[in-house]
């Protein structure tokens, strides 16, 4: 028995699996895209280095990364807009296609594989010692881990966390979700490629089997077992699955007398039970058992005065918003019919009307989530009806949502900082290299300042999902303020707020108006609306039925009719 | 109201996830009566209907016909049928198939029972009879509401729960629907009616509850509430501060 | 390629395409009602072939005991859960049905090809509802991707059952029709015709079931509007169970049909099932006619592909997905706007 060598080898395999699994945590656990094709990405890089025998390893690695990255980028181009299960099934397709190609292309030597791959060397260290390669593998694990940890705690990392469930919201914060999800996909593929390159030099022999669909599925199982939403889950899953496989391949044949892929059956049963009982994986189970290590609250850095919206230019400023003849139909239902009104610069306008009057549709059209069938929307004098939401956000419009759209597991500060996305420039690479700290401090200062304005400065470190509904609405408003908007769209901002909170909100909105920000709000609390608004627009059946100062609207018989109904 | 009410709700709390919407609502509906729940948007009216029907997790007690209310399917079989705000029609199926499925809980009662129920629905809504072979997706808003009501009636319910039957409908059609509700009541059906259109609801109802921010702020005879200025105040904020 | 070779390949391709069509239909039924992408369908197909083959050879297949054990477990759990309020009507099938099938297998003329095939259908079909009962019902409201991963895990479990019950060797069943029809110089295999006929009969039967029976309509209702179905009292768990029964029946039937042409081993089903997926995806997981066209296309392409290069056969079939998905993606770009 060569125990030490055995353990060294095992450590190598665990490290290799951890690297792929780390990429999957990013892709599946955090960005919500399932891939059944990671092993084939590892295979691309492994074959690349095997076919370049004379090349120095760093260059071969580069070649593998470039090849895998390009293939992933092309696949991402095709699949980035597909919904979840289509993407997953598509990955099955390329997983099978690639491994079939590995097995059939004559210059890849089929299932005979390619042998004689040189082990990695580190300067004078012996090439024959597997410990050297294992050390390199674990250095790669550490670097990937660090890079991904840095990424997740950064401007692009926050944006990646919106991909799983809040893409609409992200777009209205100015985030290009399609590009970002493609980048995430490529990153996960690159992690797999790194692992594949190291695998080739560790094993010194490659064949199609470790890059098959089954291998891809096993990586996915590792992540599910370990805990898909957190980086430690990748390590936990890789350790458990690798060790268990070693044990099971030893024991099962002795117990059953049969040979076969019984490890996979065992992992599958574990996966099924976990998905039913503990969908967060073992890491979530462990973390719930351990005493909480008191999440450090990022102290709100002394917030530099956040430059408010630029004051309206001298001369006749264009109105903040012009809605002209907007119509929108859904099938047989006319949600908006020829709706027109304006919101002046530094004016608060309330949009009211009974349920189903078409207010939310109009909000979605103004902010670019929906496109009108007819009519025009002008923002500060420029037509924006054809622009996607993120471009409209860049032009100074920020919004909140009727059904609060926060990332419940992310801190209040992180959620608010999503609104500051357009105030930063750091991309994925700089974030992974931690070269984004100055900008991060600035974004967090912006977030802290916005939180202070809405009265949430004390709650920056709390997970947003633990707040009361009213406070969650305030988080949305703070997030919108981070965009330094010149027009603020608020959808039922006062719902769920207590009386004093409502008064504080009204005071904040008045102050914003004084700073030159225009506000358009949908709200059902009429006391709140009538006190606050300069003008009120009333809608019913998709049409504008009244407009004027609050007192006039309250006295309008048509409005009373709309709300209370005509006496039958 | 005397005797055991058909529907009795006590101290009902419900919401979505961590967000609680209803804060201890109690109400009752006697057999053969129309009870209206009115109140502005966001008061929790739809949540109340979902919680009563077992579509949402809830705390508090709900009794229907003297027994503790269980799963949605069991409540439907016991004779409490909800017509939701969204109508929830089977849009890619025909009008006739939608109605047929309304009688799912009575599928063992035999064909003649079903045909009789179908006849009654067509008598109530002749338009549905004319369009029985059309796909539900092709119906107009008013016809969809008729189909949703008709589908609910196919189960021969004892209590009909209607969520915003007037939503998005033109006034003339709303008046038609409310005339039908009055006829159903005359046949002995109890109705729990959630409505934003307070005047129409109060005109047809016997008893009413005013819901605001998840609690009952007023209740009483519908006729008395119709004359009460406080009801209008909850909608338009013209009275006391909200 | 001579015209005769082409016609022979086309005939093969059509028969295989018909099998893929059946599998695609099963997948669509399960997905539209439960949102589960039923990955282990192909493994059930293999189990059906192997079960029928073992019965034909006079043995009692291990899958029968799996059925009995799972049904007994389901019965015990339901009894424990219901305790006070017994609902015998709901429980009875889980007691009577496996007993009947077991008796038939033990004492019936199991080696008779027709009886073996019927019995295999009878053994494999209830595994569908049992899989639903144990794997999916507890998490019926989970996201589609969670259900997909669960279904993928089940593929290994079902294949593992096949491995234990039947070992690694493949087996085939007696063809339904052994004769070959000669049309001039061109031979038409009777089994191919039988496959096409069975496929057509099943599609017609399903049409009747979904259009004219109350149970079929209830399944469509559950797929059309979940809330609406609950509100008319159609119990969601029951719909899921029925959908899985249909999918499993279709898989079993496919296994009995395809198993006469090719020997099937326990691990051969997965790939066959995947080709059914390709067909279903071409149908956008929604449209039955498009899935049918996709299935025939896959079958014919595969058949022609294997003539040119059997090695690249699978690459050709799965690579076919890429343009389809690109088109789906492009279409959603046009419709999605933002």
């Amino acid at each position: 028995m060569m125990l030490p060598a055995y353990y060294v080898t095992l450590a190598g395999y665990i490290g290799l699996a951890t690297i792929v699994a780390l990429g999957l945590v990013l892709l599946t656990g955090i960005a919500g895209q399932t891939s059944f094709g990671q092993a084939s990405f590892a295979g691309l890089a492994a074959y690349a280095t095997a076919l370049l025998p004379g090349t120095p390893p760093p260059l071969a690695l580069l070649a593998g990364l470039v090849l895998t990255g390009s293939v992933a980028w092309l696949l991402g181009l095709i699949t980035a807009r597909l919904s979840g299960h289509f993407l997953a099934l598509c990955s099955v397709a390329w997983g099978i296609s690639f491994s079939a190609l590995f097995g059939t292309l004559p210059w890849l030597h089929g299932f005979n594989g390619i042998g004689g791959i040189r082990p990695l060397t580190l300067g004078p260290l012996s090439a024959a010692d597997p410990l050297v390669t294992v050390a390199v593998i674990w250095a790669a694990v550490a670097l990937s881990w660090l890079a991904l940890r840095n990424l997740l705690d950064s401007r692009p990392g926050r944006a990646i966390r919106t991909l799983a469930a809040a893409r609409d919201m992200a777009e209205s914060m100015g985030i290009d979700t399609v590009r970002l999800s493609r980048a995430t996909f490529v990153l996960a593929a690159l992690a797999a490629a790194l692992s594949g390159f190291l695998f080739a030099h560790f094993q010194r022999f490659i064949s199609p089997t470790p890059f098959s669909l089954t291998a891809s599925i096993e990586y996915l199982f590792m992540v599910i077992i370990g805990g898909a939403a957190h980086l430690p889950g990748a390590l936990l899953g890789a350790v458990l699955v690798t060790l268990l496989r070693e044990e099971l391949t030893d024991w099962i044949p002795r117990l059953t007398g049969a040979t076969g892929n019984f490890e996979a059956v065992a992992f599958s049963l574990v996966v099924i039970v976990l998905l039913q009982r503990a969908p967060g994986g073992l890491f979530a189970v462990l973390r719930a058992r351990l005493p909480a290590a008191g999440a450090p609250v990022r102290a709100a850095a002394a917030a530099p005065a956040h430059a408010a919206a630029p004051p309206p230019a001298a001369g006749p400023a264009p109105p903040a918003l012009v809605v002209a003849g907007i119509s929108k139909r859904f099938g047989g239902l006319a949600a908006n019919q020829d709706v027109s009104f304006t919101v002046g610069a530094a004016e608060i306008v309330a949009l009211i009307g009974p349920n189903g009057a078409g207010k939310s549709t109009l909000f979605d059209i103004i902010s670019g989530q929906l496109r009108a069938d007819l009519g025009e929307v002008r923002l500060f004098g420029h037509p924006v009806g054809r622009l996607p939401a993120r471009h409209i956000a860049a032009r100074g419009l920020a919004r909140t949502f009727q059904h609060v759209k926060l990332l419940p597991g992310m801190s209040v500060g992180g959620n608010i900082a999503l609104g500051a996305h357009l105030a930063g420039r750091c991309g994925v690479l700089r974030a992974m290299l931690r070269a984004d700290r100055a900008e991060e401090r600035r974004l967090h200062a912006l977030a802290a300042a916005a939180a202070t304005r809405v009265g949430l400065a004390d709650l920056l470190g709390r997970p947003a999902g633990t707040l009361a509904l009213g406070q969650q609405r305030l988080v949305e408003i703070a997030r919108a303020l981070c965009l330094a908007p010149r027009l603020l769209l608020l959808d039922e901002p006062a719902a769920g707020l207590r009386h004093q909170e409502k008064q504080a909100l009204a005071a904040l909105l008045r102050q914003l108006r004084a700073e030159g920000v225009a506000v358009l709000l949908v709200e059902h609390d009429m006391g709140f609306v009538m006190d606050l608004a300069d003008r009120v627009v009333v809608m019913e059946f998709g049409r504008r039925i009244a407009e004027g100062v609050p007192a006039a609207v309250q006295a309008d018989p048509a409005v009373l009719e709309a709300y209370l109904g005509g006496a039958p | 109201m005397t005797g055991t009410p058909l529907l009795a709700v006590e101290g009902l709390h419900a919401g979505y996830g961590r967000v609680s919407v209803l804060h201890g609502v109690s109400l009752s509906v006697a057999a053969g009566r129309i009870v209206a729940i009115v109140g502005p948007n966001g008061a929790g009216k739809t949540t109340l209907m979902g919680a009563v029907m077992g579509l949402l997790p809830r705390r508090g007690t709900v009794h229907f016909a003297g027994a503790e209310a269980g799963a949605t399917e069991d409540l439907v079989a016991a004779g409490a049928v909800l017509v939701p705000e969204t109508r929830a029609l089977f849009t890619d199926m025909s009008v006739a198939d939608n109605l047929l499925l309304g009688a799912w809980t009575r599928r063992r009662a035999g064909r003649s029972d079903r045909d009789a129920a179908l006849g009654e629905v067509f008598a109530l809504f002749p338009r549905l009879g004319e369009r029985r072979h059309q796909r539900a997706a092709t119906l107009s808003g008013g016809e969809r509401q008729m189909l949703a009501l008709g589908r609910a009636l196919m189960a021969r319910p004892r209590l009909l729960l209607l969520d915003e039957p007037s939503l998005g409908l033109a006034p003339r059609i709303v008046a038609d629907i409310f005339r039908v509700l009055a006829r159903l009541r005359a046949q002995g059906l109890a109705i729990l009616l959630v409505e934003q259109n307070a005047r129409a609801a109060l005109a047809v109802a016997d008893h009413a509850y005013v819901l605001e921010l998840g609690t009952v702020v007023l209740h009483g005879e519908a006729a008395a509430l119709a004359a009460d200025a406080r009801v209008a105040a909850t909608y338009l904020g013209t009275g006391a501060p909200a | 390629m001579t015209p005769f070779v082409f016609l022979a390949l086309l005939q093969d391709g059509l028969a295989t395409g018909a099998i893929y069509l059946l599998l695609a239909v099963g997948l669509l039924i399960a997905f539209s009602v439960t949102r589960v992408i039923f990955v282990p369908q192909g493994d059930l197909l293999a189990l059906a072939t192997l079960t029928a083959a073992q019965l034909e050879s006079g043995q009692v297949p291990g899958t029968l005991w799996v059925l009995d054990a799972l049904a007994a477990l389901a019965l015990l759990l339901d009894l424990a859960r219901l305790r006070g309020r017994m609902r015998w009507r709901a429980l009875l099938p889980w007691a009577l049905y496996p007993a009947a099938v077991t008796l038939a297998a033990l004492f019936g003329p199991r080696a008779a090809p027709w009886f073996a095939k019927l019995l295999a259908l009878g053994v494999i079909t209830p595994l569908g509802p049992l899989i639903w009962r144990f794997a999916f019902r507890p998490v019926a409201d989970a996201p589609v991707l969670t259900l997909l991963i669960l279904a993928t895990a089940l593929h290994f479990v079902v294949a593992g059952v096949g491995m234990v019950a039947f070992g690694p060797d493949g087996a085939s069943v007696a063809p339904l029709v052994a004769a070959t029809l000669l049309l001039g110089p061109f031979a038409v295999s009777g089994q191919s015709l039988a496959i096409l006929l069975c496929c057509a009969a099943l599609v017609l039967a399903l049409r009747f079931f979904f259009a004219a029976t109350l149970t079929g309509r209830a399944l469509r209702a559950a797929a059309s509007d979940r809330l609406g179905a609950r509100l008319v009292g159609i119990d969601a768990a029951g719909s899921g169970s029925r959908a899985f029964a249909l999918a499993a029946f279709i898989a079993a039937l496919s296994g009995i049909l395809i198993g006469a042409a090719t020997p099937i081993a326990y691990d051969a089903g997965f790939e066959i099932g995947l080709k059914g997926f390709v067909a279903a995806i071409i149908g956008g997981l929604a449209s039955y006619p498009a899935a049918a066209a996709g299935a025939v296309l896959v079958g014919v392409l595969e058949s022609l592909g294997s003539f040119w290069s059997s090695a690249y056969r699978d690459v050709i079939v799965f690579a076919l997905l890429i343009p389809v998905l690109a088109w789906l993606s492009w279409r959603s770009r046009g419709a999605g706007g933002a």
Side-chain angles (χ1 to χ4, degrees):
Chain A
M1 296 291 273
M2 304 233 311
L3 274 184
Y6 170 76
Y7 286 120
V8 168
T9 311
L10 208 54
Y13 284 127
I14 290 175
L16 289 168
T18 306
I19 299 174
V20 182
L22 283 171
L24 265 180
V25 164
L26 180 74
L27 182 70
T28 300
I30 290 167
Q33 308 171 14
T34 304
S35 165
F36 288 97
Q38 294 312 100
S40 59
F41 289 136
L44 286 177
Y47 274 97
T49 192
L51 290 175
L52 298 170
T55 320
L59 272 185
L61 172 62
L62 191 67
L65 290 178
V66 169
L67 172 68
T68 313
S70 319
V71 170
W73 189 80
L74 278 175
L75 287 171
L77 213 56
I78 293 170
T79 57
R81 284 170 188 271
L82 292 177
S83 61
H85 56 278
F86 277 123
L87 174 68
L89 294 177
C90 187
S91 71
V92 171
W94 79 67
I96 288 193
S97 300
F98 283 149
S99 65
L101 284 177
F102 295 149
T104 47
L105 288 176
W107 43 283
L108 296 182
H109 304 279
F111 280 86
N112 296 328
I114 303 176
I117 304 169
R118 284 183 312 160
L120 292 178
T121 52
L122 275 183
L125 288 176
S126 156
D129 189 351
L131 254 176
V132 175
T133 311
V134 171
V136 174
I137 288 173
W138 278 92
V141 171
L143 285 178
S144 322
W145 187 303
L146 212 61
L148 289 180
R149 203 208 62 187
N150 289 347
L151 174 63
L152 288 173
D153 174 38
S154 75
R155 170 181 178 269
R158 281 189 295 275
I160 286 171
R161 288 180 193 274
T162 65
L163 293 176
R167 290 189 179 213
D168 272 5
M169 180 272 281
E171 288 278 332
S172 41
M173 298 301 133
I175 295 166
D176 186 343
T177 53
V178 170
R179 233 186 93 198
L180 197 63
S181 83
R182 198 153 58 221
T184 313
F185 182 64
V186 170
L187 268 184
L190 289 179
L194 176 60
S195 169
F197 166 83
L198 293 169
F199 176 88
H201 291 282
F202 178 55
Q203 179 121 326
R204 305 184 59 189
F205 165 79
I206 56 169
S207 70
T209 314
F211 312 121
S212 65
L213 178 64
T214 310
S216 286
I217 294 174
E218 210 164 278
Y219 287 125
L220 197 58
F221 284 179
M222 279 181 200
V223 173
I224 301 289
I225 290 174
H230 303 276
L231 295 178
L235 178 62
L236 205 57
V239 170
L240 279 171
V241 168
T242 311
L243 290 182
L244 221 76
R245 182 172 39 212
E246 287 303 314
E247 288 301 308
L248 290 176
T249 37
D250 255 17
W251 279 101
I252 289 182
R254 280 191 229 170
L255 289 178
T256 63
T259 55
N261 193 8
F262 287 104
E263 315 90 72
V265 177
F267 299 148
S268 299
L269 288 171
V270 174
V271 165
I272 291 170
V273 171
L274 274 178
L275 284 177
Q276 290 183 347
R277 298 286 160 86
L282 291 177
F283 179 69
V285 173
L286 284 179
R287 207 169 56 156
R289 295 279 155 86
L290 293 172
V297 176
R298 191 192 300 273
H306 160 33
L321 175 71
V322 176
V323 173
I326 289 291
S327 294
K328 176 77 185 173
R329 298 186 74 84
F330 296 107
L333 178 78
N336 289 157
Q337 299 181 62
D338 196 19
V339 180
S340 303
F341 63 87
T342 62
V343 178
E347 189 184 23
I348 299 180
V349 174
L351 187 61
I352 69 169
N355 241 342
K359 305 177 300 276
S360 293
T361 305
L362 195 58
F363 252 47
D364 284 347
I365 289 173
I366 294 172
S367 62
Q369 252 95 26
L370 279 178
R371 205 155 277 184
D373 299 333
L374 281 175
E376 196 182 37
V377 178
R378 281 201 300 278
L379 199 62
F380 308 108
H382 299 286
V384 296
R386 301 276 139 207
L387 293 182
R390 61 176 191 278
H391 290 169
I392 295 179
R395 284 170 179 266
L397 180 146
R399 70 167 295 182
T400 67
F401 294 88
Q402 183 190 357
H403 301 288
V404 174
K405 292 186 179 174
L406 296 175
L407 303 180
M410 194 194 272
S411 70
V412 169
N415 268 289
I416 296 178
L418 271 172
H421 191 81
L422 288 174
R425 306 188 43 81
C426 280
V428 168
L429 196 63
R430 272 167 75 186
M432 292 203 295
L433 297 173
R434 213 75 175 158
D436 61 342
R437 288 300 98 183
E439 181 183 294
E440 268 296 284
R441 274 192 296 279
R442 193 164 57 80
L443 298 189
H444 277 286
L446 280 178
T452 309
R453 293 196 81 169
V454 300
L456 292 176
D458 300 338
L459 298 175
L460 280 174
R462 282 263 297 277
T466 63
L467 266 50
L469 178 62
Q471 289 175 320
Q472 294 193 9
R473 290 197 181 281
L474 294 178
V475 174
E476 283 223 324
I477 294 172
R479 187 178 65 195
L481 289 179
C482 273
L483 280 150
R486 291 191 289 155
L487 171 63
L488 194 55
L489 259 56
L490 302 176
D491 205 341
E492 301 197 25
L497 261 53
R498 286 192 287 266
H499 186 64
Q500 273 171 336
E501 292 172 325
K502 283 181 189 173
Q503 288 185 324
L505 176 61
L508 171 66
L509 297 181
R510 288 195 184 97
Q511 196 192 337
L512 285 169
R513 175 174 60 187
E515 291 167 14
V517 178
V519 178
L520 175 66
L521 64 118
V522 165
E523 181 51 60
H524 294 299
D525 181 334
M526 288 302 152
F528 181 81
V529 164
M530 298 299 175
D531 273 0
L532 180 67
D534 299 313
R535 279 186 306 124
V536 177
V537 176
V538 189
M539 287 181 69
E540 192 194 14
F541 293 124
R543 295 177 188 281
R544 191 193 71 187
I545 60 164
E547 180 179 353
V549 296
V553 164
Q554 273 173 309
D556 191 329
V559 176
L560 212 62
E561 187 92 342
Y563 267 95
L564 297 181
Chain B
M1 284 182 230
T2 53
T4 317
L6 185 59
L7 176 74
V9 175
E10 281 292 331
L12 189 66
H13 291 257
Y16 307 88
R18 291 173 176 280
V19 180
S20 86
V21 177
L22 295 181
H23 315 286
V25 171
S26 300
L27 58 87
S28 64
V29 182
R33 292 302 193 94
I34 297 185
V35 173
I37 297 173
V38 298
N41 257 340
K45 304 187 297 284
T46 297
T47 309
L48 174 64
M49 293 299 226
V52 167
M53 286 303 294
L55 297 169
L56 299 171
R58 65 179 180 222
R59 280 188 297 123
T61 61
V62 176
H63 281 87
F64 179 70
E68 173 107 38
T72 310
E73 293 84 2
D74 299 333
L75 208 51
V76 174
V81 180
L82 168 69
V83 177
E85 197 178 347
T86 58
R87 325 298 198 225
L89 296 174
F90 309 125
T91 46
D92 48 2
M93 299 173 78
S94 70
V95 168
D97 280 353
N98 269 275
L99 291 174
L100 220 56
L101 286 164
W104 174 257
T105 53
R106 302 178 56 79
R107 61 193 177 280
R108 298 191 214 288
R111 204 193 172 87
S112 59
D113 172 88
R114 199 179 70 198
D115 289 345
L118 208 56
E120 286 165 33
V121 169
F122 287 152
L124 211 52
F125 302 111
R127 287 287 280 279
L128 295 182
E130 294 162 22
R131 297 179 181 238
R132 59 196 301 169
H133 298 302
Q134 239 168 280
R135 279 195 322 134
T138 64
L139 298 183
S140 72
E143 289 163 348
R144 285 181 190 215
Q145 181 57 49
M146 291 175 198
L147 179 55
L149 261 173
R151 188 179 71 182
L153 292 173
M154 289 295 292
R156 296 193 183 278
R158 299 158 71 188
L159 171 69
L160 208 51
L161 296 95
L162 302 181
D163 194 354
E164 302 269 9
S166 77
L167 182 67
L169 301 185
R172 190 177 46 79
I173 298 169
V174 175
D176 282 350
I177 299 270
F178 278 88
R179 264 197 295 279
V180 167
L181 298 188
R183 264 175 76 181
L184 292 172
R185 172 181 178 275
Q187 293 167 14
L189 191 63
I191 298 173
L192 180 61
L193 174 67
V194 155
E195 254 301 344
Q196 194 177 234
N197 187 334
R199 282 186 185 153
L202 293 176
V204 74
D206 302 295
H207 198 87
Y209 295 81
V210 180
L211 203 61
E212 199 179 352
L213 295 175
T215 46
V216 173
V217 291
L218 274 176
H219 71 104
E221 292 300 312
L225 286 178
D228 195 323
R230 286 176 296 174
V231 176
T234 64
Y235 280 81
L236 285 180
T238 46
Chain C
M1 187 188 297
T2 67
F4 285 126
V5 174
F6 178 77
L7 282 176
L9 289 172
L10 193 66
Q11 178 193 326
D12 265 9
L14 281 177
T16 334
I19 300 285
Y20 296 155
L21 167 61
L22 291 183
L23 293 173
V25 169
L27 285 168
L28 290 177
I29 291 172
F31 181 76
S32 60
V33 176
T34 64
R35 298 175 307 127
V36 171
I37 296 175
F38 193 33
V39 183
Q41 199 193 20
D43 303 298
L44 288 180
L45 174 150
L47 286 191
T49 312
L50 293 164
T51 302
Q54 208 158 65
L55 284 165
E56 282 178 3
S57 71
Q59 293 164 275
V60 176
T63 36
L64 181 67
W65 310 127
V66 173
L67 167 65
D68 286 345
L70 285 178
L73 188 59
L75 193 63
L76 281 176
L77 288 175
D78 282 354
L79 278 176
R81 202 165 49 89
L82 291 178
R83 264 179 313 225
R85 352 176 247 140
M86 287 293 177
R87 279 192 240 174
W88 291 109
R89 274 193 70 99
L91 296 185
L92 229 46
W94 289 128
L96 291 187
Y97 181 85
V101 173
T102 308
L103 287 177
L106 291 180
F107 305 109
R110 59 172 176 259
W114 64 272
F115 193 78
K117 290 189 178 71
L118 278 184
L119 213 51
L121 286 178
V123 172
I124 301 304
T125 304
L127 292 181
L130 284 166
I131 286 175
W132 160 256
R133 160 82 177 72
F134 286 108
F136 295 107
R137 202 177 79 186
V139 287
D141 293 325
V144 175
L145 287 177
T146 306
L147 296 175
L148 173 61
I149 294 172
L150 230 161
T152 309
L154 271 171
H155 145 63
F156 290 103
V157 175
V158 177
V161 166
M163 169 73 207
V164 173
F166 300 107
D169 298 328
S172 49
V173 295
L176 290 176
V177 184
T180 300
L181 196 65
L182 282 175
L183 290 179
F186 183 61
V188 178
S189 122
Q191 181 67 13
S192 292
L193 280 181
I195 289 177
L196 290 176
L197 276 178
C198 278
C199 177
L202 186 85
V203 168
L204 287 179
L206 284 174
R207 277 191 68 127
F208 174 79
F209 174 71
F210 283 118
T213 69
L214 194 62
T215 318
R217 287 184 181 113
L219 267 184
R220 276 168 67 203
S224 165
D225 193 300
R226 250 159 246 282
L227 174 65
R230 285 189 77 180
L231 291 178
V232 299
I234 298 170
D235 113 84
S239 300
S241 190
R242 280 180 213 112
F244 269 67
L246 270 179
F249 173 77
I250 289 172
L253 182 68
S254 309
I256 285 164
L257 291 175
I258 202 173
T262 337
I264 300 283
Y266 80 98
D267 58 354
F270 184 56
E271 207 158 283
I272 300 172
L274 280 180
K275 306 241 171 88
F277 275 120
V278 177
I281 290 176
I282 292 175
L285 281 185
S287 149
Y288 291 86
V296 172
L297 184 66
V298 171
V300 171
L301 260 183
E302 187 189 13
S303 174
L304 296 178
S306 64
F307 176 78
W308 282 305
S309 156
S310 63
Y312 293 111
R313 199 185 62 184
D314 291 343
V315 181
I316 291 171
V317 169
F318 288 105
L320 181 68
L321 266 185
I322 306 278
V324 171
L325 288 165
W327 181 75
L328 283 174
S329 175
W330 179 81
R331 198 183 53 171
S332 79
R333 183 180 309 222

